[in-house]
Amino acid sequence: MPIPPSTAMPVTSRAEGWWVLAATTWIQVLCSGGMLLVPTLAPQIAAAFGVATNLVGLQVSLLYGVAMLASLQSAVVARRLGGCRSSQLAMVLVMVGCLLALLGSPLALLAMTFLLGLAYGMTSPAAAELLTRFTPAERRNLVYSIKQTGVPLGGVLAGLLAPPLAALWNWQAAFLAVGAACLVTLLLLQLRRALWDATRDASVRMQGGGSLTVLYRSRAMRWLGATGFCLSAAQLSLLSFAVAYMVEELLLSLVAAGAVVSMVHVAGVAGRLAWGALADRLRAGLPVLFGLTGAIALVFLLLSVLSGALPTWLIIALMVIAGATAVGWNGVYLAEVARRCEPGEVGEATAAVLVLTYMGVLVGPALFSLIVWLSDSYAIGFLLPTATGALAVICLLRCVRSSRVVDGDA
C-alpha cells in the first residue's frame, strides 16, 4: 500500500536528505566490511584463533543467522531510539566486536560474530526509518539503491584494505582500523541526532513475534518477503560458488577467476544504481523487479544448459550480467517494501522481509552445495537460481494479486 503524501514527514532540505543517504550508506559499508574481515583474512585468523580454516568460513553463515534473528526486533529498536541512535548502537556493536577479536581466542571469535550479526540486523530498519522521512517519493528507488551499494562496497573495503594492513603490520590492524572508523562515525552521527530522531517514539514496546506481525497482517507483504527469499538465494548461490565454478569447470586460474568475481561485484553496484534510476524514471518499481527476476531466471538457465557449449568469454559475460541482475535487485526491492507498507511501519516492514531474505542467504548456498555434491556439476547447480528466479516472478504476481484483493475489499 502506498504511503499517503500527507503522512510522510516533509523533507527539511535536499542537502539534509543527501547527508542522511551518505551516513546510512557509510554505516552499511562499515558493517559489511566488518563482517567480511574474517573471511578476507581467513588463513591468519585461523592460525591466530587456533581453528581450522574451513570453520572460519562458517562464521559468515552464523553471522547472517544472528542478523536474521536480530531483524525480528530491530525495527522496534529503531522506532523507540530513533534511526540515528539505532545506527550509533550498530557502530558500537561493530567497534566492540572488533576489539574482542584482538583477544585471539575461539570464544572471542564467537562473541565478535554475535555482535556483528546484531549490528548487521539493525542497519537496514534504522536506515529505512531515516530514508523514508528524508527522501522524496519520486527519488526513493535510486536512494535505496545507492544505500544498498554499501553491501558490495563493504566487501571492496575489506578486500582492498585488510590484506595490505595485515602484511604491513598484522591482522589485528585491520580490526583496529574498522573499529576506529566506527568510533569516528558514532561521534559524527551525534551532530545530527536531535534532528534525525525528532519523531522517535519511546513508548513503543517489543512484541513476541517482533516485526513478523507485519507479515501476519499483510498477505501482499508475505509474498514480497518470499520474493526476497528467492532472490537472495540466487544472489548468494552466484557469489558463493562463482570462483569454484570458473576454476574447476572453466579451468581458469585462481587469479583470473578472482578478477571475474570482481567484475561481478562491480556489475552488482552498477546494476543497483541503474535499476534504481530506471524505477524512479518509470515512477514504478514493480515493472523493474519483474524484469530483473525474469532476467535472473533466464541468465542462470543459459549458464546451466549451455555452459559446455559456449566460449569462455561469453560465459564470463553471462556471469557479469548475472551480477548486474542477481546482485543488483536489492535497492528497488526495499523501496517497493517501503512503498507498500502501512504508514509509519516502514522499519517493521523492512525488518520483516529481511528475516526471509537472510533465510534465503542461509538456505541458497546450502542447497547449491548439495546439488553440486549429488551431480558433481556446478552447471547443474545453476538450476537452483534459475528456479528461485522463476519462483520470484510467481511471488511478485501473487503480491500484486493480493494487493488488488485488499484494495477491492476496501
Side-chain angles (χ1 to χ4, degrees):
M1 179 181 297
I3 299 175
S6 59
T7 65
M9 178 180 176
V11 180
T12 55
S13 70
R14 177 172 294 186
E16 198 66 42
W18 287 116
W19 279 117
V20 170
L21 174 59
T24 53
T25 303
W26 176 241
I27 290 165
Q28 188 73 67
V29 168
L30 288 179
C31 285
S32 300
M35 65 180 283
L36 290 174
L37 284 178
V38 171
T40 302
L41 301 173
Q44 296 95 323
I45 297 294
F49 284 76
V51 297
T53 304
N54 62 329
L55 292 181
V56 171
L58 295 177
Q59 184 255 0
V60 175
S61 295
L62 178 59
L63 193 150
Y64 271 109
V66 174
M68 180 181 69
L69 296 177
S71 294
L72 293 173
Q73 301 292 348
S74 58
V76 176
V77 174
R79 288 183 63 190
R80 182 178 175 83
L81 301 181
C84 185
R85 181 67 86 202
S86 185
S87 297
Q88 288 179 302
L89 179 57
M91 291 293 92
V92 170
L93 291 171
V94 175
M95 182 174 62
V96 174
C98 288
L99 292 176
L100 284 174
L102 303 182
L103 298 178
S105 69
L107 186 60
L109 177 63
L110 181 63
M112 180 199 71
T113 300
F114 179 77
L115 292 179
L116 290 182
L118 287 178
Y120 197 75
M122 293 176 63
T123 53
S124 288
E129 287 283 341
L130 295 173
L131 291 175
T132 301
R133 289 175 50 221
F134 288 94
T135 303
E138 63 272 14
R139 292 208 311 265
R140 193 166 291 161
N141 288 284
L142 178 59
V143 164
Y144 269 81
S145 296
I146 292 174
K147 181 262 176 185
Q148 284 303 113
T149 61
V151 177
L153 288 177
V156 173
L157 176 71
L160 291 181
L161 296 184
L165 286 174
L168 286 173
W169 290 285
N170 49 42
W171 64 267
Q172 291 94 332
F175 287 88
L176 284 173
V178 173
C182 289
L183 176 59
V184 173
T185 303
L186 164 70
L187 297 176
L188 291 176
L189 285 173
Q190 187 62 29
L191 299 176
R192 311 307 296 163
R193 197 253 167 172
L195 173 62
W196 291 2
D197 287 349
T199 60
R200 73 184 186 91
D201 185 0
S203 65
V204 176
R205 295 289 183 269
M206 293 185 180
Q207 300 177 358
S211 299
L212 292 181
T213 55
V214 174
L215 302 183
Y216 297 151
R217 293 196 305 267
S218 172
R219 181 179 299 177
M221 201 60 67
R222 287 200 297 273
W223 284 112
L224 204 52
T227 302
F229 173 90
C230 294
L231 294 179
S232 63
Q235 176 179 334
L236 267 293
S237 295
L238 171 66
L239 297 180
S240 299
F241 297 95
V243 170
Y245 164 66
M246 287 183 286
V247 170
E248 295 184 19
E249 294 199 6
L250 300 186
L251 303 180
L252 297 182
S253 68
L254 185 60
V255 173
V260 174
V261 170
S262 296
M263 294 168 59
V264 169
H265 279 289
V266 171
V269 173
R272 293 183 187 207
L273 299 177
W275 309 136
L278 177 61
D280 282 342
R281 186 174 182 84
L282 296 175
R283 297 184 181 274
L286 265 182
V288 177
L289 282 176
F290 272 114
L292 286 173
T293 52
I296 289 169
L298 177 60
V299 169
F300 282 111
L301 179 62
L302 292 175
L303 283 171
S304 178
V305 175
L306 302 179
S307 182
L310 297 176
T312 301
W313 69 266
L314 187 52
I315 295 177
I316 292 175
L318 288 174
M319 296 283 286
V320 173
I321 294 173
T325 53
V327 184
W329 56 275
N330 313 66
V332 177
Y333 172 78
L334 289 178
E336 187 64 23
V337 171
R339 190 184 75 84
R340 288 183 169 271
C341 68
E342 296 289 340
E345 284 193 345
V346 62
E348 285 88 342
T350 301
V353 298
L354 284 178
V355 171
L356 297 182
T357 299
Y358 291 144
M359 197 176 297
V361 169
L362 296 174
V363 172
L367 285 179
F368 193 104
S369 181
L370 178 62
I371 293 172
V372 172
W373 179 66
L374 293 174
S375 65
D376 197 28
S377 170
Y378 288 96
I380 294 178
F382 284 130
L383 288 175
L384 174 65
T386 299
T388 58
L391 286 173
V393 176
I394 297 174
C395 291
L396 285 175
L397 288 171
R398 299 290 295 180
C399 174
V400 173
R401 183 178 301 177
S402 299
S403 298
R404 287 174 179 170
V405 170
V406 171
D407 293 340
D409 291 342

